[in-house]
Amino acid sequence: MAVSTVLAGARVVLPTGIVENGRVIVENGRIAGSAPEGTPAPTLDLSGHWLVPGFVDMHNHGGGGASFTSGTTDEILTGVHTHRLHGTTTVVASFVTGDMDFLGRRAGLLSELAEQGEIAGIHFEGPFISPCRKGAHDETLLRDPDPAEVRKLIEAARGQARMVTLATELPGGIDSVRLLAEHGVIAAIGHTDATYEQTAAAIDAGATVATHLYNAMPGLGHRAPGPIAALLEDERVTVELINDGTHLHPAALELAFHHAGPERVAFITDAMDAAGFGDGRYMLGTLEVEVKDSVARLVEGGSIAGSTLTLDRAFKRAATIDRLPVESIVQAISANPAKLLGIDDRVGSLEPGKDADIVVLDADFELKGVMRKGAWLVEPRLG
């Protein structure tokens, strides 16, 4: 069997640690353990670079000018491709709040793309969230998390629902968490006004993710610690973090890593249409957003409205500003979300048998190459 490519000389980040002057062998779209004896193979010298697994974004609303909530099939694929060019070889398509019938129809459309392997599933962020912490969601479309309605959305996604964000303190919230857990769908606590005790009860019921920790929830208090403390302290919970320098102060990110540990953090983008596209006016669901200097805010009210982040920028910031160990960043940006989504048998690490989803970074953590399933999307130009 012919070897496609040998990537040699780089610092390779494996689950077991960093290998200096490592070799990654790509064979028929997958990572191979070793080259067959005597088989000639093109070798790419990546000395002075890093090789890390393709990024896995479990919370992403769009990019390249396209919205996953409202775009056509071609527009959605444009958004997916935009993020691939920035190293995100696996992406979950997130919806913002909408009318139930509309969300059901959109879930049917995106489930086809998931079945084709273009996206890794669907995330419903709303409509089952708190009007007190609605962020950039249309308050007129919010509703309590009735388990019957949650079930309708799951069924509309035809087995491709991966996560639902809920304010679990609302009527029906705990029962909805149990329903999601029974169906193998991640119940995420977010856009919530819950107390510490209510959050702990939701975790006991089966919630396992904190939707963009710190954002759209009560702040950490010394007498009323709220959801943040409950989410950080419980080993069953993975916390999403938007590391763009706008959503989080570096000290808040450091606090999350210190208390949750790198094995319980997932870097996400929460990206909207403007990611990889530019400043201007956009629609996020039914609400108008203005992006200025790469920061997205609602035109009416000024609330932060997602991000324009791409995960290569999140990686570089984590390495150069937050000074996190590269192995910890790879856990948060690839391995942990892949495990949560149940696809870590295929992606999330550079191990034999997995898809050859690989990102090449230079010594300054700038993206230089992206490979997906053994094909270069961004071919390294060295020298």
Side-chain angles (χ1 to χ4, degrees):
M1 188 177 292
V3 174
S4 301
T5 309
V6 176
L7 308 178
R11 305 180 79 186
V12 181
V13 183
L14 302 176
T16 53
I18 297 171
V19 177
E20 302 286 346
N21 193 26
R23 286 163 58 88
V24 174
I25 301 164
V26 176
E27 184 177 288
N28 295 333
R30 294 185 181 275
I31 297 171
S34 60
E37 287 291 333
T39 302
T43 298
L44 182 61
D45 183 1
L46 292 172
S47 298
H49 291 72
W50 293 87
L51 282 188
V52 300
F55 310 144
V56 180
D57 192 353
M58 58 188 280
H59 186 159
N60 186 318
H61 296 279
S67 166
F68 296 153
T69 300
S70 58
T72 65
T73 298
D74 286 345
E75 288 169 344
I76 293 165
L77 291 174
T78 294
V80 170
H81 186 66
T82 296
H83 285 281
R84 286 178 184 169
L85 296 179
H86 290 273
T88 300
T89 50
T90 302
V91 63
V92 171
S94 300
F95 292 148
V96 294
T97 292
D99 175 83
M100 286 291 293
D101 290 339
F102 171 79
L103 291 174
R105 291 193 301 273
R106 295 297 299 177
L109 172 66
L110 266 73
S111 67
E112 296 180 12
L113 295 177
E115 290 160 3
Q116 295 164 13
E118 297 291 348
I119 61 174
I122 300 166
H123 164 217
F124 296 96
E125 188 181 19
F128 310 116
I129 61 176
S130 171
C132 301
R133 304 287 175 175
K134 64 182 183 298
H137 291 254
D138 187 342
E139 185 171 353
T140 66
L141 297 174
L142 301 183
R143 53 210 302 132
D144 291 339
D146 179 347
E149 292 195 324
V150 174
R151 184 189 295 272
K152 284 182 183 178
L153 289 186
I154 296 173
E155 292 174 349
R158 303 199 312 243
Q160 301 301 329
R162 294 290 172 263
M163 184 163 65
V164 177
T165 293
L166 311 96
T168 52
E169 75 278 7
L170 296 176
I174 296 295
D175 287 339
S176 293
V177 168
R178 294 193 183 104
L179 173 72
L180 291 166
E182 289 169 4
H183 284 77
V185 179
I186 296 167
I189 299 172
H191 287 275
T192 176
D193 204 40
T195 63
Y196 174 92
E197 292 77 14
Q198 289 170 327
T199 304
I203 296 168
D204 285 340
T208 57
V209 166
T211 293
H212 43 54
L213 186 75
Y214 301 112
N215 299 114
M217 60 181 65
L220 185 65
H222 63 288
R223 291 194 181 94
I228 294 171
L231 294 163
L232 280 177
E233 74 182 9
D234 198 300
E235 294 183 356
R236 295 170 290 182
V237 176
T238 298
V239 298
E240 296 182 344
L241 297 176
I242 308 171
N243 193 24
D244 62 353
T246 298
H247 282 79
L248 297 177
H249 189 282
L253 182 135
E254 183 181 1
L255 180 71
F257 265 89
H258 177 75
H259 284 278
E263 67 278 0
R264 291 205 294 117
V265 172
F267 280 144
I268 61 162
T269 61
D270 193 20
M272 45 83 70
D273 315 18
F277 201 67
D279 290 357
R281 292 279 181 115
Y282 298 86
M283 295 300 296
L284 185 62
T286 61
L287 303 178
E288 190 173 12
V289 174
E290 182 173 13
V291 178
K292 185 176 180 181
D293 298 328
S294 297
V295 176
R297 293 186 180 276
L298 290 182
V299 171
E300 188 173 334
S303 176
I304 292 177
S307 84
T308 63
L309 186 63
T310 52
L311 282 181
D312 58 331
R313 285 168 44 210
F315 194 116
K316 179 173 181 176
R317 181 179 179 86
T320 61
I321 295 176
D322 303 308
R323 300 291 182 181
L324 293 173
V326 173
E327 305 99 301
S328 297
I329 302 170
V330 168
Q331 275 188 280
I333 213 165
S334 300
N336 295 343
K339 184 177 181 180
L340 276 168
L341 295 169
I343 55 176
D344 54 323
D345 60 328
R346 295 186 286 110
V347 300
S349 61
L350 301 179
E351 295 180 277
K354 294 192 178 183
D355 291 347
D357 291 357
I358 302 170
V359 174
V360 182
L361 304 170
D362 68 13
D364 297 319
F365 300 100
E366 291 285 348
L367 185 140
K368 294 298 179 182
V370 181
M371 176 182 282
R372 184 173 188 268
K373 296 186 176 181
W376 288 112
L377 303 181
V378 177
E379 189 164 358
R381 301 198 179 278
L382 310 173

